[in-house]
Amino acid sequence: MNYKNKTFRRLARLIIAVGLLSIAFVCIQKFMPSTSRMSSDSYFGFAEGTTEPSLGIEGETVAAVVVDGDVAQERALIVSGNVYIDYTLVQNALNSHFYWDSSEALMLFTTADQVFEIGVNTSSYTIDGESFDAGYEIVKTTSSGMFLSMTFLQQYTNMHFETYETPARVVITTGSVTVTTAEVKRDAPVRYRGGIKSDILTDVTVGEQVTVLEQLDHWTQILTADGYVGYIKTRYLTNIEETVRDTYYQSEYSSISLDGRVNLAFHQINYTAMNDNLSDDIASMTGVNVISPTWYYLSDNSGSILSYASASYVETAHEAGLQVWALVSNFSEDVSTSTLLATRSSRQAVQNYLIEQALELGFDGINIDFESIAQESGTDYVQFLRELSILCRKNGIILSVDVPVPMDYSSHYNRKELGNVCDYVIMMGYDEHYSGSDAGSVASLEFEETGIQNMLLEVPKEKIISAIPFYSRVWYTETLSDGTTNVTSEVVTMEEAQQLLSDMGVTSSYDESTGQQYAEWTASDGRLCQIWLEDADSVAARAALVSQYELGGIAAWRLGYETDDIWDAILGSIS
């Protein structure tokens, strides 16, 4: 019995010892840092064990690209020590002023005052017809796509780059921004995620400089000089401070602006003889300093223009103290704006004609009113304005452009870039409801203010002109026999709207949701009639936003739709 008890106790002690060892092993495993390493090939997106992704390229080194810590999907080529980067990546992340003109098989690069014409697979380029030699190929084409020389790119882009081996990679930092840097105070691993169990990406050594991306309680996300983004224990960093990256290049866009705010009236001209009515049309107008006649219409895809322009109109306007900004529009069924903008010769035909007209007739500015630009034509549209802005800048001509109220679907207008290259960007703050839509205000106060707030995110306030409507829509809603409704509308001037209410014996009331007077009635045929009115009060409220947000000015569509009290309402609100 005594023997059995001793055996039992020994067995129990053994079980306890094994258990304690197991617990100790688990604890050690839990708190033991992982030594597993993520392969560099895998991190930079190469097939495991190779630095040659399947791009169908032979004879060149294919390199990964890291832009501000993000590993790009696109690749770079290294050819005889020269680095070339994918054109799509350049466009999207580095410098959108490079533009491939397929109509001429040329790469165009546009600065504030020059257009570079660069051939493919050649070292030559031209500026204003004069040829230059870079000494290396600037644009390189392969079966995998088009690549741009980083040597050339760096001269004209706010960026810096370095190349590294094993695996081959190009590490790019962009911008002149404030960043947080730190010094590594001991040799340490950089892990893929924050935590000791995460794979090791690379190692940093004492004294190495890193960029701090995010600071957590115990771990800090960093960007190493050679392009790895990972985590290091916070206590391994010292001398954490903010610094400003150097600016390597910045194209200077000079602008022409009026003294004080712009107060612009669009003047619709449908045939030449209408120019003779200018004196009568502006007789009761006060406070306006710019008039924009709708003189020019694109008439075909090659850049021809239908003109109703008049030198005597310019003289009369100048005598009345008005600048003239001639408007050109794309409202023609015979014109494919997409085709025209994508063709360099057509773009140049329009640009050169407008500049020649400005110099010949003596008007002060050009207003571009190209509407319904297709999504795929956004880059062509912006390139057209870049090129035109150079000619305007050289000749002292004001360039303004009309754009819709900012919405996601119109982001391809690239309002930020237009704010760089144009002197003024006119936000067309109308058509909140339009022909074919449901019934509603043409431009509610909230619609206008939200548009201004969103414009300010992309365009300097002094360049924004807020365009308001002088018209309303009368909406007619008819209930059909099947229970559905048919909604139609017609445009009316301020005077016509007031006469209509008088004829119908209807009195309007203030609609707080739109900031306008509202009226409705039932027509003799049973249709519901509705109108949200533009008047001196609604115009004054919208004009007050120009002062509130310190904008560059106000514009109105259009002269002749207003009542006489409108001008004082605008002037009293924007002064």
Side-chain angles (χ1 to χ4, degrees):
M1 188 69 176
N2 190 34
Y3 172 77
K4 289 182 179 180
N5 286 338
K6 286 182 179 180
T7 301
F8 178 78
R9 285 195 296 271
R10 288 174 183 156
L11 182 59
R13 285 196 293 270
L14 179 60
I15 292 172
I16 291 170
V18 170
L20 291 173
L21 286 173
S22 299
I23 292 171
F25 179 77
V26 170
C27 290
I28 290 171
Q29 286 292 102
K30 180 178 180 179
F31 296 104
M32 178 72 72
S34 170
T35 59
S36 175
R37 304 185 75 91
M38 177 181 290
S39 74
S40 296
D41 286 345
S42 176
Y43 178 77
F44 289 110
F46 291 103
E48 193 67 35
T50 178
T51 56
E52 287 287 332
S54 180
L55 293 181
I57 300 171
E58 296 181 358
E60 297 97 2
T61 299
V62 178
V65 182
V66 182
V67 181
D68 293 331
D70 293 325
V71 179
Q73 293 182 342
E74 296 84 1
R75 297 299 183 186
L77 301 179
I78 301 177
V79 184
S80 301
N82 292 317
V83 180
Y84 294 85
I85 196 151
D86 186 277
Y87 167 61
T88 301
L89 182 60
V90 172
Q91 268 281 305
N92 293 337
L94 300 178
N95 193 329
S96 63
H97 287 212
F98 287 90
Y99 168 88
W100 173 245
D101 193 310
S102 58
S103 69
E104 303 286 345
L106 286 172
M107 181 66 70
L108 304 181
F109 174 62
T110 311
T111 68
D113 54 10
Q114 294 176 320
V115 178
F116 293 65
E117 298 181 352
I118 307 168
V120 297
N121 301 321
T122 178
S123 61
S124 65
Y125 62 93
T126 63
I127 302 174
D128 294 331
E130 185 177 357
S131 296
F132 300 88
D133 194 318
Y136 52 86
E137 289 183 347
I138 302 172
V139 180
K140 189 173 184 62
T141 57
T142 73
S143 59
S144 298
M146 185 177 299
F147 297 81
L148 285 174
S149 164
M150 287 292 282
T151 302
F152 186 85
L153 187 65
Q154 190 175 25
Q155 294 179 66
Y156 302 100
T157 306
N158 195 5
M159 52 155 273
H160 178 73
F161 78 97
E162 297 286 348
T163 58
Y164 297 90
E165 298 179 351
T166 317
R169 59 195 184 277
V170 181
V171 179
I172 302 171
T173 54
T174 67
S176 178
V177 295
T178 300
V179 296
T180 302
T181 60
E183 181 182 338
V184 178
K185 65 180 181 181
R186 57 161 288 181
D187 296 351
V190 178
R191 297 185 180 273
Y192 185 61
R193 301 290 186 201
I196 61 174
K197 294 301 182 183
S198 181
D199 287 351
I200 297 171
L201 286 178
T202 188
D203 298 286
V204 289
T205 58
V206 61
E208 188 171 337
Q209 293 289 318
V210 296
T211 300
V212 174
L213 302 179
E214 182 182 14
Q215 290 181 278
L216 306 176
D217 289 338
H218 303 292
W219 292 84
T220 295
Q221 187 185 43
I222 63 169
L223 167 64
T224 65
D226 56 352
Y228 290 88
V229 172
Y231 290 82
I232 187 173
K233 287 185 177 180
T234 301
R235 67 174 184 268
Y236 296 162
L237 298 176
T238 188
N239 296 332
I240 299 175
E241 59 186 7
E242 289 189 344
T243 185
V244 178
R245 282 189 190 139
D246 293 335
T247 299
Y248 297 90
Y249 174 81
Q250 183 65 45
S251 187
E252 294 294 334
Y253 288 92
S254 60
S255 291
I256 307 173
S257 60
L258 271 61
D259 292 333
R261 289 198 171 98
V262 173
N263 189 351
L264 179 150
F266 289 108
H267 191 198
Q268 190 161 16
I269 302 294
N270 294 327
Y271 50 88
T272 305
M274 288 183 71
N275 291 298
D276 299 334
N277 300 328
L278 176 61
S279 293
D280 292 337
D281 291 343
I282 64 175
S284 61
M285 188 177 75
T286 58
V288 174
N289 54 14
V290 178
I291 193 163
S292 182
T294 60
W295 274 346
Y296 300 112
Y297 300 81
L298 301 181
S299 59
D300 62 30
N301 294 340
S302 64
S304 298
I305 291 180
L306 173 65
S307 170
Y308 298 132
S310 163
S312 62
Y313 181 106
V314 177
E315 293 175 6
T316 301
H318 285 172
E319 289 171 359
L322 299 171
Q323 284 203 3
V324 178
W325 295 1
L327 183 149
V328 56
S329 67
N330 62 337
F331 306 141
S332 172
E333 294 181 356
D334 298 325
V335 175
S336 166
T337 308
S338 294
T339 300
L340 186 151
L341 293 176
T343 309
R344 184 148 197 256
S345 59
S346 299
R347 294 196 308 271
Q348 289 180 315
V350 174
Q351 294 156 359
N352 292 334
Y353 177 81
L354 293 175
I355 297 298
E356 290 167 2
Q357 285 282 284
L359 298 178
E360 178 183 341
L361 302 182
F363 56 76
D364 310 276
I366 296 170
N367 176 251
I368 301 299
D369 187 25
F370 291 174
E371 300 185 26
S372 301
I373 299 297
Q375 183 86 31
E376 61 273 15
S377 299
T379 56
D380 303 324
Y381 168 73
V382 173
Q383 181 64 20
F384 169 84
L385 284 158
R386 285 196 191 110
E387 294 165 354
L388 179 58
S389 77
I390 294 174
L391 298 176
C392 287
R393 208 170 286 116
K394 288 181 177 180
N395 290 282
I397 300 166
I398 293 174
L399 177 60
S400 62
V401 59
D402 305 334
V403 298
V405 170
M407 299 286 182
D408 289 342
Y409 65 79
S410 64
S411 61
H412 60 288
Y413 278 75
N414 197 348
R415 292 172 288 268
K416 182 176 181 180
E417 182 64 8
L418 299 185
N420 287 331
V421 305
C422 298
D423 297 303
Y424 291 101
V425 180
I426 301 178
M427 184 191 79
M428 298 181 290
Y430 27 82
D431 288 340
E432 178 181 6
H433 295 87
Y434 49 89
S435 177
S437 76
D438 294 336
S441 171
V442 170
S444 68
L445 186 60
E446 181 182 8
F447 178 76
E448 182 77 14
E449 184 167 19
T450 300
I452 289 171
Q453 291 169 344
N454 289 331
M455 281 286 289
L456 286 166
L457 299 176
E458 301 176 291
V459 180
K461 62 184 180 181
E462 64 275 8
K463 287 192 172 189
I464 298 174
I465 295 176
S466 175
I468 62 174
F470 278 175
Y471 64 93
S472 302
R473 282 187 177 275
V474 185
W475 298 90
Y476 305 100
T477 302
E478 178 185 10
T479 302
L480 304 178
S481 57
D482 61 0
T484 60
T485 57
N486 179 46
V487 179
T488 57
S489 67
E490 63 176 327
V491 170
V492 293
T493 67
M494 292 182 182
E495 186 175 340
E496 289 170 342
Q498 293 298 335
Q499 186 62 51
L500 180 61
L501 295 188
S502 177
D503 292 344
M504 294 296 106
V506 176
T507 301
S508 64
S509 59
Y510 184 70
D511 176 22
E512 189 171 350
S513 65
T514 61
Q516 295 168 292
Q517 291 288 318
Y518 168 78
E520 66 174 60
W521 64 95
T522 301
S524 58
D525 58 6
R527 291 183 299 171
L528 172 65
C529 305
Q530 299 170 281
I531 187 169
W532 286 261
L533 293 162
E534 292 296 345
D535 56 22
D537 291 335
S538 69
V539 167
R542 285 148 186 76
L545 296 174
V546 174
S547 294
Q548 178 182 339
Y549 289 98
E550 301 178 335
L551 305 185
I554 192 167
W557 179 265
R558 67 173 174 86
L559 184 63
Y561 280 180
E562 77 287 350
T563 50
D564 289 347
D565 57 348
I566 292 302
W567 304 115
D568 287 339
I570 292 175
L571 197 58
S573 296
I574 68 169
S575 298

